Every structure is written in structure tokens, then in C-alpha cells.
Amino acid sequence: MLLQVILAVIPIAWLIISMTAFKMSGFNACGIGLIITAVECIAVYGMSVVEVGTGALEGALAAIWPIGIIMFGAMFVYNLSLRTGGMDVIKNMLASVSNDKRVAALILGWCFGNFMEGIAGFGTAVAIPAAMMVGLGFDPIASAVICLIGNAASPAFGAIGTPTISAYNTAGFEAMGIDMISLSAPTSLLLAGLCILSPFVIVWLVGGSPKALKGVMPITIVSVISFYVPFYVISAFVGPELSVTIGAIISLVAVVIMGRKSSGDIPEEYLLEKKDEEAGAAASAKPQMSVAKAWIPYVLIVIFILGSSKLVPPINSALGAIKSTVTIYAGENAGALSFSWINTPGVWMFLAGIIGGLIQGASVGDLGAEFVATIKKYWKAVATVVFIVAIAKLMGYAGMVTKLANGLVALTGSFYPFIAPIIGGIGCFVTGSATSACVMFAKLQTEIAGQLNIDPTWLVAANSAGATAGKMISPQSIAMAAAAISVAGSDGKIMSATLKWCVLYLIILCVCCYVGVIL
């Protein structure tokens, strides 16, 4: 069995070593990883060239639609809002709410960061609010750490639910008759501890001790409740696509209202003093617009996705019928691959972006230019996910996933649920992407759940939740945060400051996962 496990782990071991020891980009490492996996499938597991080719093609197409279209759509909407000036209006509105650093940190590092994660993902949730905080006078390192911790609870539902949708598809739950909500609900439940803890940690970090909570405890509690309640309700009854986005919007409104109405003297150590007017200067370079108009693209995304969800059965059924189902893999036990051509989040995001952009004053030329620019800038990120999904498909068809599952079960037995979140955390640490971590290990978690007679959605949810914690110490996430605060050589300091919180978050997730299995 040991030899079988060693052979089966080779593709995953390559990804870990290449990206951590060799410092390869995800694109290069995963591309080479796909080649290694294909060769191993042929040489060790007896798959034919046709089986390997069709298996990889199935994975690639499953990654492009819907995952790739969501990734492109998310960044198209965000980049277009930068072009029209809408994002600058949103930034300035948020930065003007309160002169209390603790409140500003909650608004930017928690509410707005989660909003950016839900609507765009892929690093925007850390880079954008961290840069804004530095502009408002926050310590650069503290800004990066606060935003990484504030982002720790939501990546599993980032970019309109891409990681959870990816985990669902990779695990093969549709073929098992398991719906998407059955995965998104336990994922949000497992993340409850992180959602409750993060805002308090953010305030703690602003002041350097728990004493910083004095005077802002009510608004901190409100930021928790107003985010988590809608976050859980949407994920448990509607689906993963808008759970973070709606939770963040409601929390943002609640905190902004409380921040504006707060009275009393602000202690001097928490008084906000803006260092520069960089954000304002950036906004003034573009035509000004109303706050309502600035939010239009994101409001339309929420309307379109909710309007086509199961909350509106006639529309959901009609649009859901517009799909194609094909079988691509040429070997045994081939799975069916379905393409929903209209009722997929990526399509709605592009439509919302186009309509919202036109309302904000963008020309058809602007739309076309931003579409091309988005593809040019992010095609490697999408290709990386394509490679990883293809690797996962080949490992599944070759039987590598089953052999890995057998090895882990033999090693850990009934104790395995305790380490299930750590598997996801390792995946996200290596790849820097919750989506990639979900794709890498969703099938593995499903196989292990079957052997241990555990609900597979619980272990896949634990994998996704673990990925959210692992992302805060991922070298890619930290590099993006360091770039945002413009402090050279700050990666090590940021890593040191976030590591202890990552360990705490993973311990909480491991305990919750294990207790959930026992109960």
C-alpha cells in the first residue's frame, strides 16, 4: 500500500515542492504537473492516450465553464468600475464614515473586504482595502495583516461562490443526487467561529490589545451578526453564489449607519489622521457620479442571480433547461458533463457589468477594451485552474484519489475528520487559491468520507473552510498584500504576524469538524 500511496501522491507533491521550494508560478507548476500526471496515468495506471486526452479535456471544459467564466466576469465588472470611476466613489464613501481607526478598520478590513471577496475575489479583498487603509494613515504592516485576517472567513464563497461551486463539481455531487445547498450550508456553518472571531481580532490589532474593544464593542458585535446571519441564511437556503456578497452589504450598511451616528470623544490613540489624499486625487481624475450609480453593477449582479435562483422557481426552471449534457471521457465510469448556458453566475456578471457600465457612462469601445484587457490580464489565472481541474480528473479516473484515500484512512482512521480542514489549508497555502484547494482535494475528501461512512458534504465543506484559513499565510496572498502597501521586503513580517492567527483558526475548524462528525 505504501508504494501505491507514494505513486498516487506524486502530482500533489510536485505542486507543493514546485511552488514552495522552486518558487514556480502556479501557471508553470500546474502545467508541468498536468504533464507529469498524464505520463504517470499511461506508464503506471495503464490508461490509453485517448483516455488521458479525453479525461484532461473533460477537466479543462469543466474548469472553463462555469469556473473560468465566473473569474473573467468578476474581474471584468471590477476593472470596468475602475475605468468609469465608480469604484473610486465607493472607496471615498467608505473612507469618510468615521474618524475612529477601529470603526474604519471594521468598514474596510471586514465589511468592504468581504464584499470584494464575494463579488470579485482573487486578491482584491486584501489588496484594495489594505491600500485604502494605508492612505488613511494606518500602519502599512498592520493594514495588510488586518485585511488578511478579515478575509479569512469568506474565500470559500469568493467570486460569486467559485470555490464552493468548484468543489461541488469536482466531488461529483450532482451525480450522487446532492444539491449545491447541501454543500454550501455546512461550509458556512463550519465558518461560524471564524466569522464571529475576525472582527474582534481586527479591532484588537488596531489597538494592539483587547483594550481596543472598549467603546466599540456594540458596533463590533453588530458587524458580526449583520454579516453572519444573512451569510448563513443565503448559503443554507439559496446557494453559495451571493452568501458573502449579501452578508457583506448588510454588514456594511449596518456598520456605516452606526459609525455615522456614534457620538463621544475618540481616544487620541485611535484618532484617524489621513496621510494623503491619494484616493481623492484618483477619483477626481475621472468624472464624478452619485453613490447610487457607482453601486449599480453590483446591485444588478445581486438582482440577476437572486432572480434566477430557486427563490423564483419559474425563471430558475426555464433558464436551467437551457443546457447541454455530454460525455467526454472515453474510458470506463465516465461522468456526464453539463453546461448551463445562461443560468450561470458568470453570464449574469458580464450582463450586469455591461448594463452598469453603460449607465455609468462607459462607451461600447470602453466595454470592448476592458473585456480584452481582462482576458489578457487573467488568462493565466484561469489556465492555472484549468490545469488543476484536469489533474484532478485524471487522478480520479486513474484511481490515484482512491489510493490516497485508502492510505490516509489507514494512517488516521476515525480521527481523520480532525485533520480534514488542514488538508484544505495546505492546498490553499501552496496554490494561493481557495478554488484550487477545493478542486485539488474535493474528490479525495469524498472518497475518504465514503470509507469512513461520513456525510461527504461535511468533509468537503471542512476542506473548503480550511482553505479559507490557509489563504491568510499563502505566499501569493502575502505578496499581493505587500505590493498593496508598497513596503519592500515586508512579506516576512506579514507572515509572522498572521501565522499565529492562522494556526488558531485551523484549530477551531479542526475541532468543529471532528465534533460535527461525532454529533
Side-chain angles (χ1 to χ4, degrees), residues 392-411:
K393 282 290 182 182
L394 288 179
M395 289 182 68
Y397 281 131
M400 285 187 250
V401 173
T402 300
K403 289 178 172 57
L404 277 175
N406 291 338
L408 284 170
V409 170
L411 182 64

Side-chain angles (χ1 to χ4, degrees), residues 362-383:
S363 65
V364 174
D366 289 333
L367 297 176
E370 202 54 63
F371 178 79
V372 172
T374 299
I375 292 178
K376 285 183 177 179
K377 186 173 182 179
Y378 297 102
W379 74 269
K380 282 191 175 182
V382 174

Side-chain angles (χ1 to χ4, degrees), residues 149-172:
I149 289 174
N151 184 232
S154 57
F157 295 90
I160 312 298
T162 300
T164 300
I165 294 170
S166 303
Y168 177 85
N169 291 335
T170 305

Side-chain angles (χ1 to χ4, degrees), residues 462-514:
N463 186 83
S464 301
T468 68
K471 190 169 185 179
M472 76 168 79
I473 60 166
S474 164
Q476 291 91 325
S477 297
I478 289 175
M480 188 165 289
I485 62 175
S486 301
V487 177
S490 59
D491 301 55
K493 294 179 180 179
I494 296 172
M495 171 75 82
S496 299
T498 54
L499 182 59
K500 59 186 177 184
W501 298 107
C502 176
V503 171
L504 174 62
Y505 282 20
L506 277 174
I507 290 173
I508 292 172
L509 289 172
C510 290
V511 171
C512 290
C513 180
Y514 191 70

Side-chain angles (χ1 to χ4, degrees), residues 121-170:
F122 305 103
T124 58
V126 173
I128 295 171
M132 292 169 67
M133 289 177 68
V134 173
L136 290 175
F138 282 83
D139 174 76
I141 302 296
S143 299
V145 174
I146 285 170
C147 291
L148 284 165
I149 289 174
N151 184 232
S154 57
F157 295 90
I160 312 298
T162 300
T164 300
I165 294 170
S166 303
Y168 177 85
N169 291 335
T170 305

Side-chain angles (χ1 to χ4, degrees), residues 2 17 21 106 120 149 169 172 215 256 276 284 289 308 394 411 417 450 519:
L2 179 60
I17 294 170
L106 285 173
I149 289 174
N169 291 335
V256 166
D276 57 57
S284 64
M289 66 177 69
S308 60
L394 288 179
L411 182 64
L519 297 178

